[in-house]
Amino acid sequence: MTSFWTGERVRLRGIEPDDWTAFMRLAADEERLGNLPQPPRSAEGFRAWTKEQAVLRAEDDRFQLVVEAADSGQAVGAVGSYRTDPRAGWFEYGVTIGADQRRRGYAAEATTLLLRHMFEERRYHKCQARVFAHNGASLALQRRLGFVEEGRLRDHVFHGGRHHDIVLMGVLAEEFARGRGPGDG
C-alpha cells in the first residue's frame, strides 16, 4: 500500500529547512500572478521561517505541507489548512503551485489528498476556500473538485490600484465523497 499522502502525481510532506528556496519562488510567483503583494522578504527571512515551520506541530488541524512532484521529488507547491472550527466542523484551505509547474494536475491531486484527510480522518463536515474573482484557473479548479460558490465579498481586497472581489467557495464532506477528485479511485 502506498502512503496516504501520496498520489499518482504528488506526494505531500512536511516542510524541511532546505525548502526555503521553494517558498521564496512561490512567494514571487504569487505576487507576479496577481495575489496580494507582501513586503520583500530576505533569503534569511525565508530560511528562518522554514526552519520554524519544520518543527511546528499542527494545532487545531492547521498545518501547511509541501507538494512534491512524485516523479522528480521536486517541491512544486504548498497546500494547507489555515482556519478551522472543529466544533462547527469546517476548515479553510489554500493551495499554490509554482508558475512553471501549473496545468499538470498537481493542485487538484494535492487538494484531493488534503480533503480526504480532513473529511475522512479528522471528520470535518465542510471545507471553504476564498478565491480572487479574477483568478479563473483557481475558480475552475474549485468547481472541478466539487466546490460551489457560496457568496462573494465585493471589493474586499485592494491590490494593483483597485478593489477586487473574493469568491467564497465550499464543499461538504458528502459532496466530496460522491464526486471524488482527480487521483482518487
Side-chain angles (χ1 to χ4, degrees):
M1 179 176 168
T2 61
S3 166
F4 183 88
W5 299 102
T6 301
E8 292 177 22
R9 295 176 189 89
V10 301
R11 178 174 80 97
L12 305 184
R13 63 168 174 79
I15 296 171
E16 296 290 345
D18 289 343
D19 291 326
W20 70 271
T21 56
F23 279 96
M24 194 163 69
R25 280 193 318 272
L26 287 173
D29 285 347
E30 289 300 308
E31 182 178 340
R32 207 172 25 258
L33 294 170
N35 284 341
L36 295 177
Q38 300 295 321
R41 194 151 134 203
S42 67
E44 188 54 40
F46 280 99
R47 279 188 206 98
W49 181 83
T50 54
K51 188 175 182 179
E52 177 184 294
Q53 294 298 306
V55 296
L56 193 66
R57 294 182 57 97
E59 185 176 310
D60 292 329
D61 291 318
R62 291 187 305 267
F63 56 90
Q64 188 169 9
L65 301 170
V66 169
V67 177
E68 191 176 81
D71 59 354
S72 68
Q74 176 186 2
V76 297
V79 65
S81 170
Y82 298 103
R83 293 185 188 130
T84 62
D85 185 336
R87 185 171 181 274
W90 64 262
F91 68 99
E92 189 171 314
Y93 99 101
V95 63
T96 185
I97 301 296
D100 61 336
Q101 299 294 324
R102 293 184 180 166
R103 305 255 181 238
R104 297 181 187 188
Y106 295 153
E109 191 170 76
T111 300
T112 298
L113 291 170
L114 176 72
L115 292 176
R116 189 175 70 192
H117 170 72
M118 295 298 280
F119 287 145
E120 296 175 10
E121 300 298 322
R122 303 303 301 152
R123 298 183 184 165
Y124 280 87
H125 175 68
K126 179 181 181 180
C127 178
Q128 300 175 161
R130 295 170 183 247
V131 182
F132 285 111
H134 63 271
N135 189 340
S138 186
L139 289 169
L141 168 68
Q142 305 311 317
R143 289 185 182 107
R144 276 195 316 274
L145 293 171
F147 285 75
V148 297
E149 185 172 331
E150 295 186 333
R152 183 176 291 255
L153 301 172
R154 298 177 308 130
D155 286 351
H156 195 69
V157 296
F158 187 80
H159 170 59
R162 55 178 273 225
H163 287 91
H164 299 272
D165 291 358
I166 295 289
V167 179
L168 304 174
M169 307 286 291
V171 63
L172 303 177
E174 60 266 17
E175 294 167 339
F176 174 74
R178 278 195 309 264
R180 283 293 171 95
D184 271 353

